[in-house]
Amino acid sequence: MTSNELRTKYIEFFKSKGHAEISGQSLIPENDPSVLFTTAGMHPLVPYLLGETHPAGTRLTDYQKCVRTGDIDEVGDPSHLTCFEMLGNWSLGDYFKKDSIAFSYEFLTSPKWLALDPKKISVTVFAGDENAPRDEEAAQIWKDNGMPEDKIAYLPASDNWWAAGPTGPCGPDTEIFYWVGEGLPPQGSNKGTDSANWMEIWNNVFMQYNRVDEKTLVPLPKQNVDTGMGLERTNCILQGKTSVYLTEVFQPIIHTIETLSDYTYGTDAEKDKSVRIIADHSRSAVFILGDQKGCVPSNVGAGYVLRRLIRRAVRHGMKLGIDKDFLSEIAATVVENFKAPYPELEQNREKIFKELTAEEAKFRTTLKKGEAEFQKLLPNLMKNPKKIISGKVAYNLYETYGYPLELTEELGAENGFTVDVEGFKEAEKKHQEASKTVDAGKAKGGLAEQSDVTTKYHTATHLLQQALVNVLGDQVAQKGSNITNERMRFDFTFERPMTPEEVKKVEEIVNEKIKEDLPVTMQVMPLDKAKASGARALFTNKYGEDVKVYTIGRDVENDWFSKEVCGGPHVQHTAQIGDFKIQKEQSSSAGVRRIRAVISGGLPLDPQ
Ligand code: SER
């Protein structure tokens, strides 16, 4: 079975169990400032797990591209990936533990589906703590499905409690593992007794709580199920391979690297690591650049992570002796291999190649200067018996030559040095640099709470976009939006700075629509019908898929101001938003402007 077949089978199986297939979403989360990327399949579904109605119903399934860069430094070993696909199925207050476990076990073991050997499967369930009881219910359901008692391990919250972030929906989970050791697992072996030889393939989370803050866990209005299966890993075990890099997901990319470098994968451990880093990072970079929303390399946020991925790939290319620009050649392989499930890669082909080539060239210049400087410093550094590179020296390489800290660390390590990272940070602070640039790559999961304030900002975004189109014309298209409890940011395509008059006019229109206290109406309809009715649809949804349309206006057919395909949530009527003020209009990147705005006052939202 190939990964393409696995993806198809998974969706087909859950459709046969009454699930609607929904589109995976952008890698850049909408209106969630707490994470840089979509880190799990459930991420775009947070509002629905919290109680919003989903247009496709209460049983959903999809495949979702994800990026996790928390462990970027571990990438290079045979199993870590920064970009992966998650297969998911959800119950929004529909079925709960019993069906969820039975579905998973059937899909994994039935000869009609994956036909995995039940003897090689073991599971874990939540052992219980002050938040929730020991999950005897899940354990019993496993037993009822034929799982032997000694294959069920009860583990603490660190293993069997899943939350996407410090706040948001969460709950106990049951995880499914596959035996990757020799032969068959010995009697009594499970994840609790032998962690190394059991590989996690699927996580079924029983999302029944909302963490409001550190101390408070409140039950959700409905008991939900959120499951996630790692596509690359499961594909790997189905093919009996020891590493995801040996499957067809990565082999074509690795062949391209082999041709470029004239090195044969599998002949030198250190070089193999470089090959894996290039393969993983270039695939991630292509997915990020080719995303519906996407971003370009920069010094902050997601753009900085992208820059780091590209630069690390280039450096490892150099280690393999590739002395020309090569990323666009690898990108061609990635686009070719993933454009069927992710058509946006083909649509953004030119952007991907252009940005990769430009960033690569920029970085080569930087590297040459930085490395030359490092070599100059080396004789002096060698005199230091502790073999520590001071924060000041590392910072100077960064500040003067643009040489990144992580590369100084790598270069240092190659010569037996460690870098005083704390010292680097202090030096950086002194220079009043945005500390974001070094921390950005380390951003971990964490979901913004869907507070009333962010809901108000969300509706204000719709008003703003329509007002911009009215004042500036049709070339205005949303490029991104970012909301916190304190402000909103809205990025849109426009070639020049707005005049102060234009800014004022836009602000006036938005405030006028707020004062008119227009109702906000939600309707569910197929995407093509939504578009035909005049709704703005930003991201690619599947043809014929049911979507939510939010209309701001007195009459959804004949008298409306704004109409957008959007997941919500929104206010019920515009007077709830309050005063709207544009604080800044500035450039975001070439051809893209950014507006920062705040709201204040406004009526309270109606209780749900
Ligand atoms: N949210 C869970 C995970 O990411 C299951 O989808 O593992």
Side-chain angles (χ1 to χ4, degrees):
M1 194 183 295
T2 63
S3 61
N4 282 336
E5 283 160 355
L6 171 59
R7 198 188 294 106
T8 309
K9 275 206 171 198
Y10 183 94
I11 303 288
E12 198 189 317
F13 174 81
F14 281 99
K15 276 181 158 172
S16 79
K17 303 288 182 194
H19 292 63
E21 183 186 0
I22 56 169
S23 304
Q25 299 294 309
S26 163
L27 271 175
I28 314 279
E30 182 83 346
N31 297 324
D32 183 354
S34 64
V35 281
L36 299 174
F37 294 103
T38 297
T39 55
M42 56 77 73
H43 203 149
L45 287 147
V46 169
Y48 311 105
L49 292 165
L50 290 173
E52 272 294 298
T53 332
H54 195 285
T58 55
R59 292 183 179 212
L60 312 172
T61 183
D62 77 4
Y63 59 94
Q64 171 71 49
K65 50 187 174 176
C66 303
V67 165
R68 281 188 197 173
T69 52
D71 48 11
I72 190 169
D73 295 324
E74 279 167 60
V75 172
D77 73 14
S79 69
H80 275 86
L81 298 174
T82 56
C83 172
F84 59 94
E85 291 182 59
M86 221 177 220
L87 301 166
N89 65 280
W90 291 272
S91 155
L92 301 173
D94 192 313
Y95 59 84
F96 202 43
K97 296 182 186 179
K98 186 161 172 272
D99 285 342
S100 172
I101 289 174
F103 288 158
S104 294
Y105 203 51
E106 182 187 344
F107 181 65
L108 291 173
T109 58
S110 158
K112 189 167 169 227
W113 302 99
L114 298 193
L116 289 173
D117 183 353
K119 291 197 209 71
K120 289 192 172 184
I121 295 175
S122 76
V123 299
T124 60
V125 297
F126 181 50
D129 62 13
E130 68 283 3
N131 288 318
R134 185 177 170 89
D135 203 348
E136 296 294 1
E137 190 191 347
Q140 187 56 49
I141 297 168
W142 276 116
K143 286 181 217 163
D144 295 345
N145 278 275
M147 185 63 61
E149 178 113 42
D150 61 8
K151 288 267 201 55
I152 305 173
Y154 292 82
L155 298 180
S158 50
D159 289 277
N160 283 83
W161 185 275
W162 204 89
T167 60
C170 58
D173 67 42
T174 179
E175 299 185 3
I176 307 174
F177 296 81
Y178 191 77
W179 176 255
V180 291
E182 290 290 309
L184 284 175
Q187 187 77 31
S189 175
N190 62 41
K191 177 72 181 171
T193 65
D194 179 359
S195 185
N197 280 314
W198 290 99
M199 177 152 89
E200 186 194 338
I201 50 174
W202 207 343
N203 184 9
N204 296 25
V205 189
F206 306 120
M207 294 265 180
Q208 45 185 326
Y209 301 101
N210 183 15
R211 181 163 291 289
V212 185
D213 57 43
E214 220 174 287
K215 293 195 200 85
T216 333
L217 207 56
V218 296
L220 284 169
K222 288 174 187 155
Q223 295 186 315
N224 310 300
V225 174
D226 150 40
T227 92
M229 173 191 260
L231 176 92
E232 293 82 358
R233 278 186 186 186
T234 309
N235 183 49
C236 177
I237 62 154
L238 283 169
Q239 294 177 12
K241 297 268 163 49
T242 51
S243 158
V244 289
Y245 291 98
L246 297 174
T247 67
E248 90 292 351
V249 174
F250 281 99
Q251 279 296 301
I253 305 175
I254 289 180
H255 287 322
T256 308
I257 301 170
E258 286 179 324
T259 312
L260 282 161
S261 63
D262 209 10
Y263 165 72
T264 309
Y265 187 65
T267 50
D268 176 292
E270 201 46 39
K271 288 191 171 160
D272 281 356
K273 186 173 168 188
S274 289
V275 172
R276 289 192 293 262
I277 290 173
I278 300 168
D280 171 82
H281 288 17
S282 52
R283 188 170 89 119
S284 300
V286 169
F287 268 83
I288 297 170
L289 281 166
D291 185 77
Q292 299 85 315
K293 274 171 90 182
C295 66
V296 292
S298 74
N299 277 336
V300 287
Y304 181 68
V305 175
L306 173 61
R307 170 161 284 169
R308 237 181 110 181
L309 288 165
I310 295 173
R311 294 188 164 195
R312 199 156 176 252
V314 172
R315 180 142 189 283
H316 282 275
M318 287 171 148
K319 278 186 164 185
L320 289 181
I322 309 176
D323 54 8
K324 56 168 189 174
D325 286 355
F326 66 96
L327 284 181
S328 62
E329 274 184 57
I330 299 178
T333 311
V334 178
V335 172
E336 196 49 40
N337 283 290
F338 296 96
K339 68 183 184 194
Y342 298 101
E344 60 272 23
L345 298 180
E346 177 71 35
Q347 284 149 19
N348 292 315
R349 177 186 276 271
E350 299 227 323
K351 176 189 171 197
I352 296 171
F353 292 171
K354 190 178 131 231
E355 292 293 342
L356 277 178
T357 311
E359 183 64 21
E360 192 169 357
K362 208 188 256 175
F363 185 49
R364 278 179 198 283
T365 316
T366 296
L367 271 186
K368 283 205 185 94
K369 281 194 205 139
E371 285 195 9
E373 189 56 28
F374 186 89
Q375 296 305 339
K376 262 196 243 160
L377 294 174
L378 202 55
N380 233 338
L381 293 172
M382 284 297 191
K383 290 183 194 146
N384 173 348
K386 285 197 189 134
K387 293 265 191 159
I388 294 174
I389 299 173
S390 76
K392 223 175 128 202
V393 168
Y395 187 72
N396 195 38
L397 282 169
Y398 170 70
E399 167 75 344
T400 317
Y401 303 94
Y403 202 73
L405 169 65
E406 59 273 14
L407 290 189
T408 303
E409 287 186 283
E410 277 192 25
L411 210 54
E414 283 163 19
N415 292 282
F417 286 90
T418 52
V419 177
D420 175 8
V421 177
E422 283 306 309
F424 177 94
K425 288 194 178 150
E426 268 164 41
E428 187 178 45
K429 238 190 231 150
K430 264 191 216 143
H431 280 73
Q432 294 181 321
E433 288 275 330
S435 61
K436 264 186 192 161
T437 53
V438 277
D439 287 333
K442 298 189 183 118
K444 285 235 169 75
L447 288 172
E449 57 207 272
Q450 293 280 347
S451 72
D452 287 1
V453 185
T454 56
T455 301
K456 292 178 179 192
Y457 270 119
H458 197 175
T459 312
T461 305
H462 285 210
L463 291 177
L464 173 62
Q465 177 161 13
Q466 189 56 51
L468 284 167
V469 171
N470 290 5
V471 173
L472 304 176
D474 278 339
Q475 70 264 54
V476 169
Q478 174 168 350
K479 286 305 271 183
S481 121
N482 181 297
I483 291 171
T484 69
N485 276 331
E486 281 76 41
R487 54 104 185 113
M488 62 185 269
R489 265 189 354 220
F490 185 78
D491 292 356
F492 59 99
T493 46
F494 196 58
E495 284 305 328
R496 60 165 173 85
M498 290 170 69
T499 65
E501 292 74 33
E502 285 166 339
V503 172
K504 194 157 163 267
K505 184 81 199 142
V506 166
E507 193 178 89
E508 272 169 17
I509 296 177
V510 173
N511 279 313
E512 198 180 288
K513 295 300 156 191
I514 291 170
K515 289 225 178 64
E516 286 175 24
D517 198 14
L518 300 172
V520 179
T521 315
M522 191 270 284
Q523 294 166 289
V524 174
M525 61 183 83
L527 180 65
D528 36 349
K529 197 165 159 242
K531 282 188 177 161
S533 81
R536 188 170 282 124
L538 190 53
F539 304 121
T540 44
N541 288 74
K542 288 207 176 351
Y543 182 76
E545 184 175 355
D546 275 348
V547 293
K548 281 182 177 179
V549 175
Y550 280 90
T551 306
I552 307 177
R554 302 241 170 258
D555 183 320
V556 293
E557 267 163 37
N558 302 310
D559 180 15
W560 48 268
F561 176 69
S562 143
K563 202 182 261 219
E564 272 191 49
V565 172
C566 166
H570 283 281
V571 303
Q572 291 93 5
H573 50 100
T574 55
Q576 289 165 326
I577 298 172
D579 273 343
F580 173 84
K581 182 137 194 49
I582 294 180
Q583 290 187 322
K584 242 193 243 167
E585 190 275 342
Q586 62 194 130
S587 161
S588 162
S589 59
V592 179
R593 307 296 303 171
R594 167 169 293 177
I595 281 182
R596 182 191 157 105
V598 292
I599 55 173
S600 56
L603 301 172
L605 299 191
D606 304 346
Q608 290 219 333

